[in-house]
């Protein structure tokens, strides 16, 4: 109460008042200095380690989400996988025609590998892909044999790129059909 009275009489707060001591000022800084010292010496928080069995790369096409989840469940992954979706899947890994797609994939693979210690990458391409139609041939899905050959080519390119950078990782390649959700294994030829 005396401090409030002093302030109202002089028009100054205690820190600016002529009676305020250096000792009072230093005592008010002490708790902050102690807290800062403790924070600087504390170890940074680290996330708990969680292991995933694989990184799955699929296309963004919503028509395949249910079938993909069912397929991955049958592969005994138990939901323990990281999932990345990029238009064209294998096409994106090669960076054609957008290098930023490949960059996004490599960033995700790096994080998945370091953070979740994956041991496998699964890439799922699919029939009637809009990214392939847009970037390669709008009539590609009209010729199923050529369409499969084109996807197989880009899946193989993705396989080689991943194995070059991460030789310890297994890579599985699949091609999903549209009308009857089947997942054909694509055996790497590279």
């Amino acid at each position: 109460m005396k401090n409030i009275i002093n302030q109202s009489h002089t028009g100054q707060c205690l820190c600016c008042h002529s009676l305020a001591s250096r000792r009072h000022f230093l005592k008010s800084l002490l708790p902050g200095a102690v807290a800062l010292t403790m924070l600087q010496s504390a170890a940074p928080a680290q996330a708990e380690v969680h292991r995933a069995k694989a990184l799955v790369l699929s296309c963004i096409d919503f028509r395949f989400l249910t079938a993909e989840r069912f397929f991955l469940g049958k592969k005994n992954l138990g939901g323990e996988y990281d999932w990345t979706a990029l238009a064209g899947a294998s096409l994106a890994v090669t960076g054609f025609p957008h290098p930023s797609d490949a960059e996004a994939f490599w960033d995700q693979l790096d994080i998945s590998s370091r953070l979740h210690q994956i041991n496998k990458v699964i890439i799922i391409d699919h029939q009637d892909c809009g990214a392939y139609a847009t970037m390669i041939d709008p009539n590609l899905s009209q010729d199923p044999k050529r369409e499969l050959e084109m996807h197989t080519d880009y899946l193989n390119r993705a396989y080689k790129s991943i194995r070059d950078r991460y030789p310890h990782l297994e890579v599985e390649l699949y091609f999903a059909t549209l009308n009857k959700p089947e997942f054909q294994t694509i055996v790497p030829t590279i």
Side-chain angles (χ1 to χ4, degrees), residues 32-102:
V34 170
L36 182 61
T37 303
M38 289 175 62
L39 285 174
Q40 288 175 334
S41 66
Q46 293 193 356
E48 190 176 331
V49 174
H50 299 283
R51 293 188 61 98
K53 294 179 180 176
L55 170 71
V56 176
L57 171 65
S58 65
C59 186
I60 62 170
D61 196 321
F62 67 94
R63 299 174 295 171
F64 291 88
L65 290 176
T66 301
E68 286 172 358
R69 285 189 183 119
F70 182 73
F71 171 71
L72 294 169
K74 286 174 56 176
K75 294 195 60 54
N76 295 319
L77 294 176
E80 296 174 15
Y81 53 87
D82 294 331
W83 197 334
T84 296
L86 293 167
S90 66
L91 195 64
V93 174
T94 66
F96 175 75
H98 306 291
S100 59
D101 289 344

Side-chain angles (χ1 to χ4, degrees), residues 5-151:
I5 294 170
N6 283 343
Q7 183 178 1
S8 63
H9 286 280
T10 62
Q12 296 178 327
C13 65
L14 279 178
C15 64
C16 298
H17 193 276
S18 61
L19 298 176
S21 71
R22 193 175 343 162
R23 183 176 296 150
H24 174 72
F25 175 73
L26 291 174
K27 282 169 62 176
S28 68
L29 289 179
L30 185 61
V34 170
L36 182 61
T37 303
M38 289 175 62
L39 285 174
Q40 288 175 334
S41 66
Q46 293 193 356
E48 190 176 331
V49 174
H50 299 283
R51 293 188 61 98
K53 294 179 180 176
L55 170 71
V56 176
L57 171 65
S58 65
C59 186
I60 62 170
D61 196 321
F62 67 94
R63 299 174 295 171
F64 291 88
L65 290 176
T66 301
E68 286 172 358
R69 285 189 183 119
F70 182 73
F71 171 71
L72 294 169
K74 286 174 56 176
K75 294 195 60 54
N76 295 319
L77 294 176
E80 296 174 15
Y81 53 87
D82 294 331
W83 197 334
T84 296
L86 293 167
S90 66
L91 195 64
V93 174
T94 66
F96 175 75
H98 306 291
S100 59
D101 289 344
E103 233 178 275
F105 170 75
W106 293 117
D107 286 347
Q108 295 303 298
L109 180 54
D110 181 59
I111 291 168
S112 184
S113 178
R114 284 185 298 110
L115 214 54
H116 298 149
Q117 292 97 37
I118 60 164
N119 59 16
K120 183 187 302 187
V121 176
I122 298 172
I123 303 175
I124 304 172
D125 274 15
H126 67 84
Q127 195 174 36
D128 192 34
C129 180
Y132 272 80
T134 301
M135 298 173 209
I136 295 187
D137 180 357
N139 299 312
L140 187 61
S141 65
Q142 304 305 310
D143 183 350
K145 183 178 181 214
R146 182 168 172 260
E147 181 180 33
L148 180 58
E149 288 171 356
M150 192 64 62
H151 280 273

